[in-house]
Amino acid sequence: MRRTALLAAAAALVAGVLAWPADAAPTTFAHPGVTVSKGQLDFTRSKVNAGAQPWKGAFDRMMASKYADLNRTPKPRAVVECGSYSNPNYGCTDEREDAIAAYTQALAWYITRDERHAKKAIELMDAWSATIRDHTNSNAPLQTGWAGSSWPKAAEIIKHTYTGNWANSGRFATMLRNVYLPEIINGSNSNGNWELSMMEAAVGISVFLEDKASYDKAMGKFRTRTAAYVYLSSDGDLPKTVPSQNLNTREKIVNYWQGQSTFVTGLTQETCRDFTHTGYGISAISHVAETSRIQGQDLYGTDVGERLRHALGFQAKYELGEGVPSWLCRGSLKLGLGPVTEVGHNALANRLGHAMTNTETLNTRNRPSGSNNLFVAWETLTHADNPS
């Protein structure tokens, strides 16, 4: 009888675990916990200190970059105005690059333990939190998403690993809560990379703020958008859609997919636009999945991981030079995927054991990966073959 009761209790516990949604906010947030965990940072630091490759080469590339410069002067603006294709560009490049620099300096601090880097990261974050009030013009949501993806990565490392004083961390949190989050949390009906980048920022900011409601809202939008961004044959004859976009006919869907009417597993909504924007979307998917994993949920084991794996493989195949069939994007592709393969490859190939030959070849060819100067930086350093 006791054994039966124990089995029943165990079954109920398992059922409860299985029923727990994979994209719900954790009971307790893990820190540092945006794209990189403490375990991953410790692994990276040990490899760099041992002079092991590819990590040492990746570290050297980062330290030689403008973002690691200890003489960098922040260039904050009260109102960042970004039009289409960065016209006008009033503070857009400065904001994105100062955010990447803050993250770079935070990584440099963690690996070297040179306090000057931690203080420079704090100087950059403090300068912006003291100044910025708004983002304006047509690219404001995307700009906010890009910069807002890097800021919490920097802040997580500094707040939770640096033992010195960051007196204005509360003001920085207020900046993220009041200036960034409202601009991105409700999503976008533009091309899919917009909303994916915006949700990456919203998830990262929610982790830093320990804001469970925003985390859940951002994850919900992320799951819907990811399913509508990467096609799987199991989706049916047509790709999934985001309800608010009212893509309720085949003609509308084909038009939204850049005129592509043949749908195959791994194709993305922007493949026929160009690989660069496709790379933005793929990167954001991998970053959110990685943050979710650090927070105790496994999106890699859901359709998110399946879509990411096939999107990487499909794009990598053509990036490596395979001939383009006539049915795909009218037989012509604009390549240039960018440094976006490390996080997904490490999670799906190394951790989960999926064969990802094309992605691995492209990944290795691009090492050590640098920054796209928008919201991706140093992922060979942080995620190459990282078991943590």
Side-chain angles (χ1 to χ4, degrees):
M1 186 71 185
R2 186 161 178 253
R3 184 170 177 272
T4 304
L6 285 171
L7 287 171
L13 181 63
V14 169
V17 170
L18 292 176
W20 183 49
D23 50 4
T27 304
T28 304
F29 284 97
H31 303 289
V34 178
T35 312
V36 285
S37 67
K38 187 175 186 301
Q40 288 171 315
L41 290 167
D42 287 339
F43 172 85
T44 296
R45 183 169 187 253
S46 70
K47 290 297 186 182
V48 171
N49 288 342
Q53 299 297 356
W55 304 275
K56 181 60 166 64
F59 174 75
D60 290 342
R61 181 175 183 184
M62 180 183 82
M63 296 305 290
S65 75
K66 61 184 178 181
Y67 300 118
D69 185 357
L70 285 167
N71 294 312
R72 184 181 186 90
T73 302
K75 299 178 180 177
R77 293 178 71 99
V79 178
V80 175
E81 182 180 356
C82 307
S84 297
Y85 300 99
S86 297
N87 183 26
N89 180 344
Y90 298 136
C92 315
T93 301
D94 291 337
E95 181 190 27
R96 293 194 304 265
E97 295 193 351
D98 275 352
I100 291 172
Y103 176 53
T104 302
Q105 298 283 350
L107 287 174
W109 138 253
Y110 196 89
I111 293 167
T112 67
R113 293 299 196 268
D114 182 340
E115 270 198 290
R116 293 176 301 168
H117 290 295
K119 289 175 178 176
K120 179 57 70 172
I122 289 169
E123 179 190 343
L124 290 158
M125 291 188 285
D126 282 356
W128 281 89
S129 71
T131 308
I132 189 166
R133 298 194 314 271
D134 199 10
H135 297 87
T136 64
N137 215 316
S138 57
N139 265 25
L142 182 61
Q143 170 73 18
T144 309
W146 281 342
S149 294
S150 297
W151 286 130
K153 288 194 287 190
E156 280 282 297
I157 294 171
I158 295 300
K159 183 175 181 181
H160 297 286
T161 72
Y162 177 56
T163 54
N165 184 33
W166 182 16
N168 293 311
S169 63
R171 188 179 72 196
F172 185 82
T174 298
M175 175 192 79
L176 294 181
R177 182 181 292 108
N178 295 344
V179 179
Y180 286 79
L181 202 53
E183 186 70 44
I184 54 179
I185 192 65
N186 292 317
S188 165
N189 287 327
S190 185
N191 280 301
N193 81 86
W194 277 51
E195 187 162 84
L196 289 167
S197 289
M198 291 161 69
M199 291 311 107
E200 177 189 341
V203 166
I205 289 169
S206 297
V207 170
F208 183 73
L209 298 177
E210 298 195 332
D211 183 338
K212 294 182 181 182
S214 292
Y215 186 97
D216 287 347
K217 183 173 181 178
M219 275 293 186
K221 286 190 173 296
F222 169 77
R223 291 295 298 269
T224 300
R225 176 60 67 178
T226 299
Y229 194 71
V230 182
Y231 177 80
L232 297 177
S233 60
S234 57
D235 294 336
D237 293 338
L238 293 170
K240 291 180 179 291
T241 62
V242 176
S244 59
Q245 292 191 260
N246 297 313
L247 299 174
N248 50 15
T249 68
R250 179 181 178 84
E251 182 183 12
K252 287 182 181 178
I253 291 171
V254 168
N255 184 57
Y256 185 60
W257 282 62
Q258 323 294 328
Q260 178 67 14
S261 58
T262 301
F263 301 102
V264 296
T265 292
L267 182 80
T268 81
Q269 182 255 315
E270 296 187 274
T271 297
C272 294
R273 181 187 184 188
D274 59 61
F275 273 26
T276 301
H277 286 89
T278 298
Y280 300 164
I282 290 173
S283 178
I285 293 169
S286 70
H287 291 166
V288 175
E290 191 72 356
T291 296
S292 176
R293 185 189 69 86
I294 294 165
Q295 296 306 324
Q297 301 105 359
D298 181 18
L299 289 185
Y300 290 118
T302 70
D303 77 296
V304 171
E306 190 74 355
R307 291 176 197 279
L308 176 60
R309 178 166 69 92
H310 286 295
L312 282 167
F314 186 84
Q315 267 60 222
K317 176 173 62 176
Y318 295 108
E319 189 80 8
L320 290 168
E322 179 158 320
V324 184
S326 59
W327 57 263
L328 177 61
C329 309
R330 302 180 182 88
S332 178
L333 293 170
K334 295 177 184 175
L335 303 179
L337 196 61
V340 302
T341 56
E342 287 280 14
V343 175
H345 176 265
N346 186 52
L348 295 161
N350 295 338
R351 285 199 204 102
L352 297 183
H354 292 293
M356 298 177 69
T357 308
N358 289 323
T359 304
E360 183 165 350
T361 300
L362 181 62
N363 208 28
T364 303
R365 189 178 82 177
N366 289 343
R367 284 180 174 173
S369 64
S371 174
N372 70 354
N373 304 310
L374 298 173
F375 68 103
V376 179
W378 322 125
E379 294 184 351
T380 296
L381 177 65
T382 55
H383 288 82
D385 306 330
N386 194 325
S388 296

